[in-house]
């Protein structure tokens, strides 16, 4: 064995650490052992013969009917074979259900990037199990998650919905999520296959990716998902190398061929754009439905011999296999969740959804996840953790002789952003803000003061139950009326929000309407010039007490479904109002084909002078024992449907932070964003904590970290640029519809290293509340090649290896360390310089002064490259060097490896 320490001294290796930590003992595939996924019981899957017998019962129109949806978020049923409809829901940070209705609330998990930041597969699997329980409560059988596209660039608008810049970390995190969800009897969906890594022209762009990069980088997480047993894969909107993904040969090979995927390929919503070409491809299910190109036209194509019926049979067979797995096929119970295994009855799509209840266990898990994902970027002078009563750190009261004082400042302090924008959004059951979490943590022991400082949003704020009343019932909220062309009321319903994306009570009836009207009684609490707005496409009007404020026609600016159905354009009018005087606001939108149903009635009070607001925040900071500033992005900055034009924090947040830090040397900044943002003040504040989009328990989890009840467990899953300008970041803007991936395999930390540039924070970076010494790297001296063809062996005879890393907790408190192992190889021509890439990781825990050993599995695939010429995996060029350390740039241990 080769054993190398930083000082080349000989140290005895203690035995492997006994870990309660999820990430211990992991390779690139599913983590071994009984804790890798929640317990479940699985009924035997139907045999091919049983599936063939069921398919034989169906005539051609019946078979084709199954291959597109019954509606937007429901599949077809078929009584002839005992098949019920299956409910489908967007994910990945919550289960919205089939409806866009604020009354249909859901648990909100930390964003996927936050989950990857935990480097904690057991935690991710637990959260997957929680989502499965939510899905069952909402009668959902198929979750449209996880998203396996990569952080090719931080400018990507949907960055928050993806896990990482690294294919290995993405694949292992996804595998854990999939195992957790599917152990609960709900199908997970690996999406968007493949190279759907940005939003600009996402429906039509042609991603030009060389075959080797495609295999080694962008397809690798999907291969890991298939190995984890995923039941559904979603084909993307975009084309790859000239062929749209719903017609791509990549669906056949490697997905259904070499990888052996036996599930269903579902299209992204509206991504099937042909009859024959998509049907001849291994595209199984066209959503939403009924799909006009896969109905009678597909039946005709089969009868005319243009599409073999055997192709249709294979799609139906896969669809029925999926139904059996989720318990939607008569005679097959499917995978039982742990509760179902002990007698719980599974809800069906015809049963009413259970009322939402947040159990204490769920709150504890979500709170723990916030802390586990939080990344401490900087902690100069050990400012964190704070004393729960910070003025007593020196044994004195606050600066003015009163109780200790904490100033909680910033636009996201009282209203943190807990989730990303777009189709993944859900309506939270409850949200704990950072301000409330800090107040709960300190109780009566300290005074907590607050100022917003700056305002970020430019989109209007929809009315809500706290500031509006239904004019018909007087209940908090708004009245929504669906009107015929002559103005007659077809349907009316009471809603809690002025933002209406679709009818919640009678969608079929509402769909026959010509217009929708939202009205409310509003009592302004401030005298001045208020802004009133209507959101929606087509002909819109807005009246206040009968006075017409807006009467215009709004033309669509985009055909992106997120724009049309979730965040269409708005129109604003100003009106002077007097505090205490009730107003009747009425907004109307006339519907047109293909323009969606979204409408909103909004109102915003006069904004304070921002100079005054910043001065107020600075004054509070100056008089406080500690200042906590919560900054971040908005859904106007990070969302599905568009990419970011800048990595700067919006508004005057940088100015606010700089001013507060100058006023109080004990300033902590919490960055509430889904992806990297520029932090020009980062060296002038002692502590910077990254929260991502932390989910509904944001405030409690962050308070646990701030006051030391939990260690910040996160490590960066993506590299953070100091400035976007001049950084090695690829473009998201296609030219003539083509987006070339010219950087090849160099994204994230590998791009920075090749460029010889220094980011603000490297991939893998994150501080805890203790310190560690890396003491010894133990690798096999010689690894014998094998003829074994199992998953642990590569096609060229390479096999998995285990690397042991000895380290010591040199700090004053117990802690957790994520041990990262990187592989460097010989240069591979002009394609790859062989620079270090992540090859494995695990985590250890240790008490102060304790020595531990991390065992890190390095998969055979790490030593292989894809050979386009041979169509197979071959060995990477030697020599091989393994590195170990806490980040991609800080690798104190290294050792050669010989095969």
């Amino acid at each position: 064995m080769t054993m190398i320490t930083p000082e080349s001294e000989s140290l005895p290796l203690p035995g492997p650490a006994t870990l309660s930590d999820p990430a211990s003992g992991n390779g690139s595939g599913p983590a071994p052992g009984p804790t890798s996924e929640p317990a479940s019981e699985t009924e035997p899957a139907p045999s091919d013969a049983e599936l063939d017998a069921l398919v034989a019962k169906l005539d051609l129109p019946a078979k084709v009917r199954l291959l597109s949806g019954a509606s937007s978020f429901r599949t077809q049923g078929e009584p002839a074979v005992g098949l019920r409809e299956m409910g489908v829901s967007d994910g990945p940070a919550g289960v919205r259900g089939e409806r866009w209705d604020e009354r249909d609330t859901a648990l909100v998990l930390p964003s996927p990037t936050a989950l990857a930041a935990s480097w904690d597969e057991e935690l991710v699997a637990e959260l997957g199990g929680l989502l499965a329980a939510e899905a069952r409560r909402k009668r959902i059988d198929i979750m449209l998650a996880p998203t396996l596209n990569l952080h090719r660039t931080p400018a990507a608008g949907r960055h928050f919905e993806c896990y990482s810049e690294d294919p290995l970390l993405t694949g292992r995190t996804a595998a854990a999520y999939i195992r957790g969800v599917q152990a609960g009897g709900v199908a997970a969906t690996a999406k968007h296959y493949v190279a759907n890594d940005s939003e600009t022209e996402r429906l039509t762009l042609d991603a030009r990716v060389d075959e080797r990069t495609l295999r080694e980088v962008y397809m690798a997480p999907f291969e890991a998902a298939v190995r984890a047993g995923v039941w559904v894969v979603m084909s993307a909107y975009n084309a790859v190398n000239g062929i749209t993904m719903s017609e791509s040969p990549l669906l056949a090979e490697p997905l259904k061929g070499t990888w052996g995927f036996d599930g269903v390929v579902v299209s992204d919503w509206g991504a099937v754009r042909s009859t024959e070409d998509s049907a001849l491809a291994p595209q199984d299910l066209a959503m939403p439905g009924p799909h006009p190109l896969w109905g009678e036209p597909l039946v005709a194509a089969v009868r005319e011999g243009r599409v073999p019926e055997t192709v249709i049979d294979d799609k139906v067979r896969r669809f029925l296999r999926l139904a059996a797995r989720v318990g939607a096929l008569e005679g097959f119970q499917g995978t039982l969740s742990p509760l179902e295994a002990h007698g719980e009855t599974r809800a069906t799509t015809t049963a009413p959804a259970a009322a939402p209840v947040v159990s204490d266990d769920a709150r504890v898990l979500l709170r723990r996840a916030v802390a586990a994902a939080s990344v401490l970027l900087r902690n100069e002078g050990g400012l964190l953790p704070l004393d729960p009563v910070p003025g007593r750190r020196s044994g004195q009261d606050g600066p003015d002789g009163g109780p200790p004082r904490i100033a909680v400042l910033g636009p996201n302090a009282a209203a943190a952003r807990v989730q990303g924008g777009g189709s993944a959004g859900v309506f939270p059951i409850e949200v704990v803000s950072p301000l409330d979490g800090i107040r709960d943590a300190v109780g009566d022991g300290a005074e907590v003061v607050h100022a917003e400082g700056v305002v970020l949003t430019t989109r209007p704020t929809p009315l809500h139950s706290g500031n509006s009343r239904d004019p018909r019932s007087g209940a908090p909220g708004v009245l929504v009326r669906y009107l015929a062309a002559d103005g007659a009321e077809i349907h009316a319903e009471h809603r809690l929000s002025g933002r209406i994306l679709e009818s919640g009570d009678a969608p079929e009836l509402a769909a026959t309407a010509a217009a929708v009207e939202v009205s409310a009684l509003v009592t302004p609490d401030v005298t001045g010039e208020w802004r009133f707005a209507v959101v929606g496409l087509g002909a819109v009007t807005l009246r206040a007490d009968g006075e017409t404020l807006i009467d215009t026609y709004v033309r669509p600016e985009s055909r992106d479904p997120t724009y049309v159905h979730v965040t269409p354009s708005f129109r604003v009018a100003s009106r002077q109002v007097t505090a205490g005087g009730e107003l009747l606001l009425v907004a109307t939108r006339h519907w047109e084909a293909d323009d969606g149903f979204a409408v909103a009635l909004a109102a915003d009070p006069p904004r304070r002078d921002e100079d005054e607001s910043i001065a107020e925040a600075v004054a509070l900071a100056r008089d406080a024992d500690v200042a906590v500033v919560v900054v971040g992005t908005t859904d106007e900055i990070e969302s599905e449907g568009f990419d970011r034009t800048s990595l700067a924090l919006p508004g005057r947040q940088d100015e606010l932070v700089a001013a507060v830090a100058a006023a109080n040397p004990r300033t902590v900044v919490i960055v509430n964003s889904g992806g990297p943002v520029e932090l020009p003040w980062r060296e002038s504040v002692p502590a910077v904590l990254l929260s991502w989009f932390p989910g509904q328990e944001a405030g409690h989890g962050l308070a646990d970290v701030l006051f030391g009840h939990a260690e910040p467990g996160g490590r960066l899953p993506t590299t953070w640029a100091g400035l976007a300008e001049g950084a090695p970041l690829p473009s998201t803007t296609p030219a003539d519809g083509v987006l070339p991936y010219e950087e090849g395999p160099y994204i994230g930390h590998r791009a920075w290293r090749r460029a010889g540039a220094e980011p603000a924070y490297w991939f893998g970076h994150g501080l805890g509340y203790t310190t560690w010494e890396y003491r010894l790297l133990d690798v096999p001296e010689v690894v014998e090649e094998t003829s074994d063809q199992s998953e642990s062996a590569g096609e060229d005879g390479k096999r998995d290896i285990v690397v042991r890393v000895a380290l010591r907790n040199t700090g004053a408190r117990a802690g957790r360390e994520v041990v990262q192992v990187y592989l460097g190889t010989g240069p591979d021509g002009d394609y790859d310089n062989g620079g270090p890439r992540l090859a494995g990781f695990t985590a250890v825990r240790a008490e102060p002064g304790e020595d531990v050993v991390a065992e890190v599995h390095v998969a055979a695939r790490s030593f292989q490259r894809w050979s386009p010429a041979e169509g197979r995996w071959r060995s990477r060029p030697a020599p091989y060097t393994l590195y170990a350390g806490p980040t991609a740039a800080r690798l104190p241990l290294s050792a050669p490896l010989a095969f």
Side-chain angles (χ1 to χ4, degrees):
M1 308 291 282
T2 301
M3 302 180 183
I4 298 182
T5 72
E7 304 83 11
S8 297
E9 62 180 318
S10 178
L11 294 173
L13 275 174
T18 301
L19 303 177
S20 59
D21 191 280
S24 62
N26 297 316
S28 63
T35 61
S36 63
E37 60 186 63
S40 61
E41 296 188 8
T42 305
E43 288 288 305
S47 66
D48 289 345
E50 289 172 313
L51 291 173
D52 289 342
L54 293 174
V55 173
K57 293 182 179 181
L58 303 174
D59 61 16
L60 177 62
K63 287 188 281 192
V64 169
R65 189 175 65 88
L66 292 180
L67 302 183
S68 68
S71 62
S72 292
F73 290 100
R74 187 171 292 201
T75 67
Q76 299 277 4
E78 178 50 74
V81 293
L83 173 68
R84 65 166 173 82
E85 295 178 342
M86 291 181 281
V88 182
S89 175
D90 279 311
V95 185
R96 188 183 65 248
E98 296 182 52
R99 304 188 303 166
W100 289 88
D101 188 332
E102 75 285 349
R103 297 167 298 179
D104 188 6
T105 56
L107 296 176
V108 186
L109 280 64
S111 63
T113 303
L115 300 190
S118 72
W119 299 59
D120 189 333
E121 290 153 285
E122 186 174 279
L123 173 63
V124 172
E126 282 188 78
L127 291 166
L130 183 63
L131 285 173
E134 274 280 275
R136 292 195 307 275
R137 176 179 70 80
K138 291 194 167 197
R139 299 169 296 148
I140 295 300
D141 301 288
I142 304 168
M143 280 278 294
L144 300 178
T147 300
L148 302 189
N149 306 112
L150 297 182
H151 293 171
R152 176 174 175 257
T153 167
R158 216 168 177 176
H159 191 284
F160 62 87
E161 196 177 319
C162 309
Y163 289 123
S164 170
E165 70 185 30
D166 183 82
L168 176 63
L169 178 59
T170 295
R172 284 176 53 172
T173 307
Y177 183 101
I178 290 163
R179 292 193 303 270
V181 170
Q182 294 186 171
V186 176
T189 303
K191 65 180 187 182
H192 311 83
Y193 184 76
V194 60
N196 187 230
D197 306 294
S198 52
E199 298 298 288
T200 305
E201 300 181 26
R202 64 174 176 145
L203 304 185
T204 57
L205 74 83
D206 179 10
R208 297 291 175 86
V209 194
D210 71 86
E211 183 180 345
R212 183 170 170 185
T213 297
L214 196 61
R215 284 284 194 139
E216 293 182 17
V217 180
Y218 294 98
M219 294 174 73
F222 290 93
E223 183 178 7
V226 173
R227 286 185 176 180
V230 71
W231 295 341
V232 182
V233 170
M234 179 186 287
S235 59
Y237 286 121
N238 58 284
V240 173
N241 297 329
I243 304 175
T244 191
M245 281 307 303
S246 62
E247 302 169 7
S248 175
L250 295 174
L251 299 177
E253 187 59 50
L255 178 62
K256 290 185 177 180
T258 303
W259 296 352
F261 175 62
D262 68 353
V264 167
V265 174
V266 63
S267 71
D268 206 337
W269 266 226
V272 167
R273 305 180 179 100
S274 65
T275 299
E276 289 180 45
D277 288 345
S278 57
L280 288 170
Q283 175 70 55
D284 301 315
L285 178 62
M287 290 294 286
H291 198 289
L293 297 177
W294 271 31
E296 287 302 320
L298 183 52
V299 172
V302 175
R303 286 176 173 164
E304 293 167 12
R306 291 178 282 124
V307 175
E309 190 165 357
T310 54
V311 169
I312 303 300
D313 289 347
D314 180 71
K315 299 178 194 297
V316 174
R317 190 179 298 111
R318 289 170 177 272
F319 185 76
L320 294 176
R321 183 182 293 119
L322 171 63
R325 284 168 165 165
V326 301
L329 186 62
E330 189 175 296
F332 298 93
Q333 195 169 32
T335 298
L336 298 179
S337 72
L339 289 177
E340 289 174 325
H342 291 86
E344 180 194 76
T345 301
R346 180 188 297 255
T348 68
T349 53
T350 58
V357 176
V358 186
S359 68
D360 289 342
D361 287 346
R363 284 194 183 92
V364 168
L365 177 58
L366 294 174
R367 180 172 181 165
R368 178 160 59 91
V370 175
S374 296
V375 180
L376 185 57
L377 297 176
R378 177 177 170 86
N379 193 24
E380 293 301 300
L383 176 57
L384 294 181
L386 301 170
D387 189 305
V389 186
R392 294 178 185 169
R393 182 181 285 264
S394 60
Q396 298 176 353
D397 284 336
D400 60 0
R405 183 176 299 146
I406 304 173
V408 184
L409 312 169
N412 291 28
R417 190 174 178 205
V418 300
Q419 60 181 325
S423 61
V426 301
F427 301 99
I429 294 176
E430 59 191 27
V431 172
V432 182
S433 71
L435 177 61
D436 288 338
I438 290 170
R439 282 176 171 157
D440 289 346
V442 301
D444 296 331
E447 178 187 5
V448 178
V449 295
H450 166 65
E452 191 173 35
V454 297
V455 177
L456 301 183
T457 57
T458 57
R459 285 190 69 87
T461 307
L463 296 177
H464 52 82
S465 58
N467 65 1
S468 61
R469 293 192 302 119
D470 183 329
R472 182 172 289 179
S473 68
V478 305
L479 173 66
V480 181
R481 301 171 65 227
Y482 295 90
L483 309 175
D486 62 1
E489 182 180 298
I490 295 175
H491 169 68
E493 60 191 43
H494 173 72
R495 298 291 289 267
L496 303 178
S497 170
R499 179 177 181 239
I500 309 298
L501 301 183
E502 64 184 17
S503 171
D505 295 343
E508 296 83 4
L509 188 60
T512 66
V516 58
E517 176 192 275
V518 184
S519 60
L521 294 168
V522 176
T523 303
D525 57 355
V526 177
T527 296
E529 191 172 85
W530 280 61
R531 298 187 311 147
F532 301 106
V534 57
V535 178
L537 303 177
V540 296
T541 63
L542 176 61
R543 303 188 304 277
D545 282 347
E547 175 189 356
T548 298
L549 302 181
I550 297 172
D551 185 353
T552 190
Y553 187 89
V554 181
R555 297 187 183 280
E557 299 174 6
S558 167
R559 280 299 165 195
D560 190 280
T562 300
Y563 167 80
V564 171
H565 299 291
V566 183
T567 53
S569 300
F570 60 90
R571 296 294 183 265
V572 179
S574 297
R575 188 179 192 268
Q576 190 73 21
V577 299
T578 302
E582 192 169 65
L583 284 173
L584 174 61
L585 299 177
V586 181
T588 305
R589 181 198 164 191
H590 292 268
W591 285 338
E592 295 188 13
D594 301 323
D595 282 351
F597 300 109
V599 65
L601 174 58
D604 287 283
R607 290 189 173 181
R608 288 185 60 187
D609 178 85
E610 203 153 62
D611 288 337
E612 294 179 2
S613 295
I614 292 176
E616 177 192 16
V618 171
L620 291 179
R622 185 177 294 113
D623 292 337
D625 295 276
V626 65
V628 178
V629 189
V630 189
V631 297
T633 59
T634 71
D635 57 8
E636 300 166 46
I637 303 296
E638 289 185 274
S639 176
E640 179 183 357
F642 55 86
D643 290 317
R644 299 163 68 184
T645 58
S646 170
L647 298 188
L649 286 168
R652 297 173 65 184
Q653 293 183 95
D654 289 335
E655 183 181 343
L656 173 67
V657 172
V660 169
N664 191 324
R666 303 183 74 234
T667 294
V668 180
V669 180
I670 297 175
V671 181
N672 178 205
S673 68
V677 292
E678 294 175 351
L679 307 174
W681 35 259
R682 64 185 184 276
E683 300 297 330
S684 63
V685 297
V688 182
L689 181 67
L690 173 59
S691 74
W692 311 103
F693 296 149
Q696 68 183 59
E697 285 293 318
H700 286 151
L702 289 170
D704 287 342
V705 171
L706 290 174
F707 297 111
H709 304 306
E711 189 179 32
R715 304 295 185 267
L716 287 179
T718 194
T719 304
W720 275 47
L723 291 172
E725 185 177 356
L729 304 176
S731 172
T732 63
T733 304
D736 298 324
V738 174
L739 185 63
Y741 282 43
E742 295 172 326
E743 69 282 357
Y746 289 99
I747 61 172
H749 70 92
R750 299 196 76 230
W752 284 89
R753 189 185 295 274
R754 182 178 67 160
E758 186 74 19
Y761 303 104
W762 286 92
F763 175 79
H765 171 71
L767 306 174
Y769 287 154
T770 189
T771 55
W772 297 86
E773 178 189 358
Y774 281 72
R775 296 170 62 78
L776 181 73
L777 175 59
D778 178 6
V779 302
E781 278 188 2
V782 177
V783 180
E784 297 294 337
E785 296 191 350
T786 177
S787 58
D788 179 19
Q789 297 299 307
S790 70
E791 285 189 7
S792 65
E795 294 180 23
D796 58 353
K798 294 291 187 292
R799 65 166 76 228
D800 292 2
I801 65 169
V802 176
V803 176
R804 303 176 77 200
V805 182
L807 59 166
R808 176 179 295 166
N809 180 348
T810 56
R813 61 178 278 169
R816 171 183 183 266
E817 176 74 341
V818 176
V819 179
Q820 302 164 39
V821 171
Y822 293 77
L823 172 67
T825 66
D828 194 356
D830 295 333
Y831 178 80
D832 193 326
N833 64 14
R837 72 191 76 228
L838 184 67
F841 63 89
T842 192
V844 293
R845 297 184 188 274
E847 296 297 318
E850 184 181 1
D851 289 320
V852 290
V853 171
E855 290 195 345
V856 183
H857 289 205
V858 177
R861 179 62 56 81
S862 297
F863 303 99
Q864 297 172 327
R865 60 177 177 85
W866 178 255
S867 170
E870 300 179 59
R872 57 173 292 189
W873 294 96
R874 298 302 305 269
S875 296
R876 294 188 184 276
Y880 301 142
T881 304
L882 290 172
Y883 304 87
T887 80
R890 190 155 69 90
L891 300 168
L893 305 178
S894 65
L897 179 71
F899 274 94

